[in-house]
Amino acid sequence: MRSPFAAVLMAGMALGILQGAPPKKAAPKTQARKALPDIPAAGASGELLDLESGRSRALGAMLESRTDFQATAFPEGRVLITGGSLKGGTTEWFDPGTRRFTAGPSMAQARQGHSALLLKDGRLLVAGGTENPSAAEILDPATGKFEALPGDIRFGLSAELLETEGGVLLVDGQTGACWLWGGQAKAPRSTGSLGNPRLFFRALRLGDGRVLVTGGWRPEPSKARRPLPSKPVSADIPAEIFNPRKGRWSAWKASLRPRARHQAALLPDGRVALFGGFGARAEIAEDSLEILDPIHESVTVAGRLSPRGLPSPGWASLGEGGLYLPEGATSPWKITAPEGWLNPGPTAWRLGNAYQAPVLVPLKGMGLLVVGSSVWGPGLERWDPRIGQCQYLGALRAGTETLSLVGGKVLALGPIVDAVDPKTGALTVLGRREELTAQLKQGRTPGAPQPLGLPPFPPGQVLRDCLVLRLDAQKALVLGGRSEAFPEGTDQVWVWDLKKKTLRPSGPMKTKRVFPAIPQGQGALKLGDGSVLIW
């Protein structure tokens, strides 16, 4: 699920749920700032992954809710988050040492979906991401202030910034205009223009110093500022190459698949991988993995990526290759060749949450900052036998595999274990599963009941892939399932009287569910009061 969940309780003394809470100590008169929990809470907006240990740590909360922001690591170790806020041109610093966010310098313009480039001299250049064309801005760490780029050039919604041999290349996608800037007080000079203006494109410096521009949507003259054009994209928008030595643009020979808001990665062998993004329409993700050969200007479709991890996977260049994190995944993969996207194999890294449009920032040492909007796991419901109705409680953490009863408490089991309040759905972090082995052995997870056969569905309403849970010696609960009329599943709940061999409709679930290839008893857990948790 992509929607926010109810507030999650702090980890603090969570292990006491299993072993009994220790007595509270009196707080000192002068108390330091409360330490951050080690394990990320469910629904957190980010975490810090240690690439050596493979584990992630919790972060403090971001100061503002942000989407389509940029995150730039500075040489001293801190990361500056720019844009993506509805409160103007605000920024915030992330300190890996404290794992907390603090207010940063303000930009003159509110920006969303902009470009940010750390220059060789340590300054930060930002451009684009504004509905009305505006000047680029430069942050000088020495003054801590953003100032406008010299000259009168302006950038619209989509811009790209890259260091080249001839200086910084600035591309305004909306108009196609391009400039080179030497980094000093002089204004940038024009260096031609794209043959095809475009929105939400990508620019990448190749191994030979040239710059490759790919993808994007054609701006509509009367609707150029719309963030997501609804009309089909022309498939003939060619890739373009800029040669900084000659100061010229040229069209790529081979045709590419339409895509926008995608990722472009330079492979160790000099080829380029294009993946993710939207295709010919804004609501359809492009799942092809295209491999471009800059020498021959050719393209090959290497395969198809899982649509579950699209359209906005995270990517960060790291050594020979980079790290790839699909949307909704809890483990990034190291990629050095095209086969890595298609057959990633096992990974040594594990996040506490999954994210929509994750942003990956390699840090000094062996750290990786992951920030984004949380993607939740299975939706959680509670069936109450007293009223015969289902109540929606929220969602479990992404990566949750099953529920278990331990010492009268409901636990959500996955790489990270959470305690679940069966009445509200609130989650409390308990710890990592491998650290709780002894306690979890005492738990009771849903098991396969005695075979009950096919429920006596009414004629014409036979369902397959439904879940049957025995309530007692005489009754069972039948949940969901699919039929030819409802191939996507149903929200139906039935109470099966085993003695009378009848089915009585109960209150429906809040979501349609099917339980294919799941052992009987998985997907629902009966509690001591007779209620049933459904996930």
Side-chain angles (χ1 to χ4, degrees):
M1 297 177 61
R2 297 176 183 264
S3 58
F5 185 47
V8 185
L9 301 178
M10 294 293 291
M13 316 274 272
L15 193 55
I17 295 179
L18 290 175
Q19 300 176 325
K24 296 182 179 179
K25 297 181 180 179
K29 294 182 180 180
T30 57
Q31 191 170 6
R33 182 164 56 174
K34 187 175 181 180
L36 291 172
D38 183 55
I39 300 176
S45 60
E47 50 200 281
L48 188 61
L49 178 63
D50 187 324
L51 297 178
E52 288 187 324
S53 68
R55 292 183 174 182
S56 67
R57 305 178 69 191
L59 306 181
M62 292 183 69
L63 303 184
E64 296 182 30
S65 176
R66 300 176 184 270
T67 58
D68 255 358
F69 55 86
Q70 289 286 352
T72 307
F74 278 69
E76 82 276 8
R78 292 190 301 168
V79 176
L80 184 64
I81 310 292
T82 56
S85 170
L86 299 178
K87 298 181 180 180
T90 62
T91 71
E92 47 191 289
W93 288 104
F94 171 72
D95 187 335
T98 64
R99 293 181 284 146
R100 295 181 186 275
F101 294 88
T102 56
S106 294
M107 299 180 292
Q109 299 287 333
R111 301 179 186 274
Q112 198 165 17
H114 56 293
S115 183
L117 174 66
L118 185 67
L119 304 177
K120 293 178 180 178
D121 60 11
R123 293 180 296 168
L124 181 69
L125 176 64
V126 297
T130 60
E131 288 199 19
N132 297 315
S134 62
E137 300 181 58
I138 310 170
L139 170 65
D140 188 340
T143 63
K145 295 181 179 179
F146 279 95
E147 296 183 354
L149 182 73
D152 58 358
I153 65 174
R154 296 292 183 266
F155 299 85
L157 195 61
S158 295
E160 285 284 353
L161 310 170
L162 282 172
E163 293 265 19
T164 71
E165 295 177 3
V168 179
L169 177 66
L170 307 99
V171 182
D172 177 41
Q174 193 159 306
T175 63
C178 305
W179 302 268
L180 278 174
W181 180 51
Q184 305 304 319
K186 291 184 179 180
R189 59 181 175 84
S190 175
T191 184
S193 63
L194 295 174
N196 297 270
R198 56 189 82 204
L199 300 177
F200 305 119
F201 62 101
R202 277 286 182 264
L204 180 70
R205 181 173 176 174
L206 302 175
D208 59 10
R210 294 180 299 164
V211 174
L212 176 65
V213 168
T214 60
W217 284 312
R218 293 187 183 278
E220 299 175 42
S222 61
K223 303 177 181 179
R225 295 172 189 165
R226 289 179 55 182
L228 295 177
S230 59
K231 291 185 177 180
V233 180
S234 299
D236 60 350
I237 301 183
E240 301 185 51
I241 295 181
F242 176 71
N243 189 327
R245 296 176 183 175
K246 299 180 179 180
R248 296 178 182 175
W249 287 92
S250 61
W252 180 277
K253 295 179 181 178
S255 298
L256 307 182
R257 294 186 63 81
R259 69 172 79 227
R261 298 178 69 94
H262 56 289
Q263 296 281 13
L266 184 65
L267 298 174
D269 61 7
R271 293 183 297 168
V272 175
L274 301 184
F275 55 95
F278 295 92
R281 298 189 69 90
E283 67 273 14
I284 301 176
E286 175 55 52
D287 63 356
S288 67
L289 171 65
E290 291 180 290
I291 305 300
L292 282 59
D293 183 342
I295 297 178
H296 301 96
E297 295 192 9
S298 61
V299 58
T300 303
V301 176
R304 302 285 176 179
L305 301 178
S306 171
R308 291 179 295 177
L310 303 174
S312 302
W315 171 263
S317 296
L318 187 67
E320 289 292 308
L323 293 178
Y324 171 64
L325 179 63
E327 286 197 318
T330 55
S331 294
W333 304 327
K334 181 65 183 291
I335 305 293
T336 57
E339 296 75 21
W341 278 282
L342 304 174
N343 301 294
T347 177
W349 302 303
R350 181 177 293 165
L351 298 171
N353 289 291
Y355 300 94
Q356 177 186 3
V359 176
L360 311 184
V361 186
L363 305 177
K364 296 178 67 175
M366 290 293 288
L368 180 74
L369 174 64
V370 181
V371 188
S373 301
S374 275
V375 175
W376 289 87
L380 183 65
E381 301 186 45
R382 178 174 176 265
W383 179 77
D384 190 333
R386 296 172 299 177
I387 59 176
Q389 297 290 330
C390 287
Q391 175 190 7
Y392 184 72
L393 301 181
L396 302 173
R397 182 193 298 267
T400 297
E401 299 163 3
T402 189
L403 298 185
S404 176
L405 286 173
V406 180
K409 302 295 181 180
V410 178
L411 305 186
L413 304 183
I416 292 178
V417 179
D418 297 300
V420 183
D421 186 324
K423 295 183 179 179
T424 66
L427 305 178
T428 305
V429 179
L430 297 185
R432 295 182 173 87
R433 182 164 53 187
E434 63 267 21
E435 299 171 348
L436 302 173
T437 303
Q439 294 90 341
L440 297 178
K441 285 182 178 179
Q442 306 171 10
R444 177 174 67 83
T445 56
Q450 298 176 1
L452 299 177
L454 183 69
F457 290 112
Q461 299 186 43
V462 177
L463 299 172
R464 62 183 186 278
D465 293 333
C466 58
L467 187 148
V468 179
L469 177 69
R470 185 186 289 271
L471 298 176
D472 53 37
Q474 296 189 5
K475 292 182 180 180
L477 198 64
V478 181
L479 303 168
R482 73 173 98 226
S483 65
E484 293 184 1
F486 301 100
E488 75 283 3
T490 69
D491 58 4
Q492 185 61 64
V493 178
W494 307 81
V495 176
W496 182 4
D497 190 313
L498 301 174
K499 186 176 181 180
K500 297 180 181 180
K501 299 182 180 180
T502 59
L503 279 181
R504 173 175 55 84
S506 184
M509 297 179 289
K510 305 304 179 184
T511 55
K512 296 178 180 179
R513 298 178 186 266
V514 293
F515 302 89
I518 295 180
Q520 289 293 314
Q522 296 293 321
L525 178 66
K526 179 188 172 185
L527 304 181
D529 62 0
S531 63
V532 175
L533 291 180
I534 307 165
W535 72 94

